[in-house]
Amino acid sequence: MKKLILPIVLIAVGGMLFISGCNNYNAFVEIDEDVENAWSKVQSAYQRRADLIPNLVNTVKGVADFEKSTLTAVQEARSKATSMNVDASNLNPEQIKQFQQAQSGLSQSLGRLLMVSERYPQLQANQSFRELQVQLEGTENRIKVARDRYNDVVTNYNKKIRRFPGTIYASMFGFDERGQFEAEASAQDAPEVNFD
Amino acid sequence: MTFPTARKLFLWICLLTSVSFLQAQAPIPEPTDELVNDYANLLSRNEDRQLTRKLAQYARETSTQIVIFTENSLEGYDPFNRALDIYDKWGIGGSREKSNGVLIYVAKAEQKVRIMTGQGAEGFLPDILADRIIEQIIVPNFKQNRYYRGLDRATSAIMELGQGEYTNDLQGQEQQQQKRDAKGGIPAILIIGGIILFVVLYSRYGRRGPDDDDDGGYYRGGRYDMDPHRGRRRRRGGGGWMIFPFPWFGGGGWSSGGGGGDWGGGDFGGGDWGDFGGFGGGITGGGGAGGEW
């Protein structure tokens, strides 16, 4: 009888570890899916913005004799931003930071374009320019919502994988910390425009 | 099993400060049983009632929920963020799957109006059309203080756009159920393996019970899982309260609570004219448009 106690205890402890490992693994998988899902929404919101830009540039070009440098800056920032693709399985903090930098470059040049456009009455009176502005505003709002949701999900994820005892299983199963978007000081201020 | 490490403490501090920070912002009213929430008193009682009836009937037929929310002041807030917070908290829309809700937010003092579309409403009410409804219907009427006319025509326009897009059935709920059932993959095999292991161990060692004392709570839970007492005990204990201390996290919990005419007093006690079936937990992706009059 006594001989049996040790193996029983060992097996019981092993079984408990196994079950809690399973539980942790499942929880990680689930929340990892949430992160990827939230990321895909962030990307599609940014994509939506990128898709609007050729239309915007063409409209501006067609309506007004617009200053060239602003337009080329937007186009360059767009191609820079769209070339930066982050795979959902590789959302580490550096990648997110680079992605954010590329996108905020586009935000700034777009903001500048819209500010300059206010000097052109014929643009302001143009119906399709107005509609593009509405769409652009809606897209910026969608980006904001998608980013906030992504950050929430990632916060939750990072908490789970860094807490004890989850952190042991997380390193065992290879779940790494995910990057988050940072609030941009520059994005909150209106872009500066020089008229000289 | 709590290990109060410095890191965890830090996380808790972050969590607590973020919660108190959120509460420091303007409080969002609890969801009501009404589709018309005229806190700024822009509508007369009769107008409020007419709009409520119209929108509730539409919600019953199509499951698309159009909510009007008016407020005296934004108190320094951005109308988009304010409308977003209200939308998120209330969960406007027939179901989460459909998310077919539209929120018309009005701030009286700032003279701002915002249409917020749920993810399922973006299809029939894209941003451009929301903008047109604001600029061509709401703004001109609001400028002349004709609030009812503006809201009535705007909602009619939205209703027309959304006609035929959705019908009121329970499909959304069924889909959710299927989704919940279809979980699994490799871990399921691990779990089955664990169960087999457990059964084998149990049949080999479990009959004589020295281990029953060793790790009592755990094994008792496992062994007597089939016992009906367990479920009953859990239900009676109210364990859910600890997990969801905030009522709005619970989804549709509040919606089944009161009937349509509970709060209003005697004059509309009869009938379900304002009943729209409760908010279904819809979400918004940030669509819509804004304007000012």
Side-chain angles (χ1 to χ4, degrees):
Chain A
M1 230 8 251
K2 280 217 165 156
K3 262 195 277 174
L4 280 180
I5 291 175
L6 187 65
I8 286 169
V9 168
L10 281 179
I11 287 165
V13 168
M16 278 170 79
L17 282 177
F18 177 77
I19 288 168
S20 80
C22 283
N23 285 342
N24 272 286
Y25 181 80
N26 281 349
F28 292 153
V29 167
E30 201 160 303
I31 199 162
D32 198 36
E33 288 286 321
D34 289 347
V35 170
E36 285 183 16
N37 183 26
W39 176 250
S40 73
K41 292 206 169 120
V42 170
Q43 270 193 316
S44 69
Y46 276 116
Q47 186 59 45
R48 187 188 170 116
R49 179 171 77 170
D51 291 344
L52 281 174
I53 288 170
N55 239 334
L56 184 74
V57 169
N58 282 337
T59 307
V60 169
K61 253 192 212 157
V63 174
D65 188 20
F66 210 77
E67 58 173 65
K68 262 235 155 71
S69 61
T70 313
L71 285 180
T72 47
V74 169
Q75 279 166 319
E76 271 166 23
R78 178 187 182 268
S79 64
K80 207 170 161 189
T82 48
S83 69
M84 175 83 206
N85 261 321
V86 181
D87 192 61
S89 59
N90 192 24
L91 296 168
N92 58 47
E94 297 95 84
Q95 290 269 343
I96 298 288
K97 200 168 179 186
Q98 279 172 22
F99 182 82
Q100 186 172 2
Q101 263 169 6
Q103 294 293 352
S104 76
L106 181 53
S107 303
Q108 274 166 13
S109 55
L110 259 180
R112 192 183 145 78
L113 178 106
L114 291 181
M115 274 204 95
V116 172
S117 75
E118 280 172 21
R119 287 194 290 157
Y120 294 81
Q122 67 268 49
L123 255 187
Q124 296 301 316
N126 182 279
Q127 177 70 13
S128 59
F129 181 72
R130 192 186 144 66
E131 289 188 347
L132 278 166
Q133 264 186 311
V134 170
Q135 279 181 298
L136 207 57
E137 194 216 331
T139 304
E140 297 287 354
N141 286 334
R142 284 182 179 84
I143 289 172
K144 180 193 171 307
V145 170
R147 272 175 49 158
D148 285 355
R149 295 225 167 104
Y150 170 81
N151 273 358
D152 286 349
V153 173
V154 169
T155 304
N156 196 8
Y157 171 92
N158 283 346
K159 262 193 229 169
K160 270 219 167 105
I161 67 161
R162 289 170 68 180
R163 260 193 196 151
F164 191 86
T167 176
I168 296 168
Y169 295 110
S171 59
M172 214 159 83
F173 297 129
F175 288 92
D176 303 322
E177 192 182 338
R178 299 280 198 239
Q180 282 176 295
F181 288 98
E182 280 156 36
E184 288 162 77
S186 56
Q188 277 156 9
D189 307 327
E192 272 179 53
V193 184
N194 260 326
F195 289 124
D196 37 53
Chain B
M1 283 284 265
T2 48
F3 288 79
T5 59
R7 190 178 284 174
K8 192 176 176 184
L9 207 75
F10 174 72
L11 283 175
W12 268 110
I13 290 167
C14 288
L15 191 76
L16 287 175
T17 49
S18 71
V19 167
S20 59
F21 182 62
L22 281 176
Q23 281 170 345
Q25 298 181 347
I28 304 154
E30 291 297 316
T32 59
D33 283 335
E34 290 280 295
L35 290 171
V36 178
N37 299 274
D38 183 25
Y39 295 111
N41 285 321
L42 299 176
L43 305 169
S44 75
R45 196 180 178 80
N46 203 28
E47 290 166 347
D48 187 317
R49 191 175 161 157
Q50 266 177 305
L51 267 180
T52 305
R53 187 196 297 271
K54 180 176 92 166
L55 296 180
Q57 193 191 350
Y58 186 70
R60 283 198 301 269
E61 280 167 10
T62 64
S63 84
T64 301
Q65 296 172 351
I66 302 167
V67 173
I68 293 172
F69 187 106
T70 74
E71 211 169 27
N72 275 321
S73 168
L74 274 165
E75 284 163 20
Y77 278 88
D78 174 57
F80 171 75
N81 288 333
R82 182 77 179 148
L84 178 69
D85 287 348
I86 294 165
Y87 198 107
D88 277 350
K89 183 167 174 182
W90 288 26
I92 299 163
S95 67
R96 194 183 169 87
E97 299 283 307
K98 287 186 195 163
S99 286
N100 49 349
V102 177
L103 170 66
I104 302 177
Y105 173 83
V106 179
K108 188 181 170 192
E110 290 83 359
Q111 305 194 311
K112 291 238 160 80
V113 59
R114 175 105 221 158
I115 292 179
M116 195 92 200
T117 50
Q119 275 177 347
E122 284 181 16
F124 66 80
L125 185 60
D127 297 358
I128 292 174
L129 291 181
D131 178 66
R132 269 187 213 160
I133 286 169
I134 287 174
E135 295 302 324
Q136 292 171 12
I137 300 175
I138 294 180
V139 168
N141 279 303
F142 276 28
K143 267 186 178 151
Q144 299 167 348
N145 291 331
R146 289 192 294 204
Y147 298 110
Y148 173 72
R149 208 168 111 138
L151 290 173
D152 183 46
R153 295 198 172 173
T155 48
S156 291
I158 295 169
M159 281 160 64
E160 209 173 300
L161 289 168
Q163 197 68 52
E165 191 84 9
Y166 293 97
T167 50
N168 193 5
D169 53 28
L170 296 172
Q171 226 165 18
Q173 286 168 23
E174 277 164 26
Q175 279 172 359
Q176 259 182 342
Q177 189 60 43
Q178 277 171 6
K179 220 180 198 175
R180 227 174 281 142
D181 292 343
K183 264 184 213 156
I186 305 163
I189 294 167
L190 292 179
I191 288 170
I192 291 165
I195 290 167
I196 292 169
L197 190 80
F198 184 77
V199 169
V200 168
L201 289 175
Y202 174 69
S203 63
R204 212 178 262 184
Y205 300 111
R207 295 208 178 250
R208 320 231 169 152
D211 61 317
D212 206 32
D213 301 330
D214 272 358
D215 19 27
Y218 188 79
Y219 267 82
R220 190 162 290 133
R223 247 174 102 180
Y224 297 130
D225 212 355
M226 296 298 144
D227 193 323
H229 283 293
R230 193 171 147 79
R232 216 181 298 151
R233 191 173 55 216
R234 195 181 275 165
R235 237 170 287 138
R236 208 193 302 139
W241 191 83
M242 289 296 288
I243 305 168
F244 299 113
F246 309 106
W248 57 86
F249 283 169
W254 46 269
S255 64
S256 53
D262 272 3
W263 55 274
D267 60 338
F268 42 88
D272 55 354
W273 57 272
D275 185 25
F276 61 95
F279 297 118
I283 49 172
T284 174
E292 55 188 308
W293 74 91

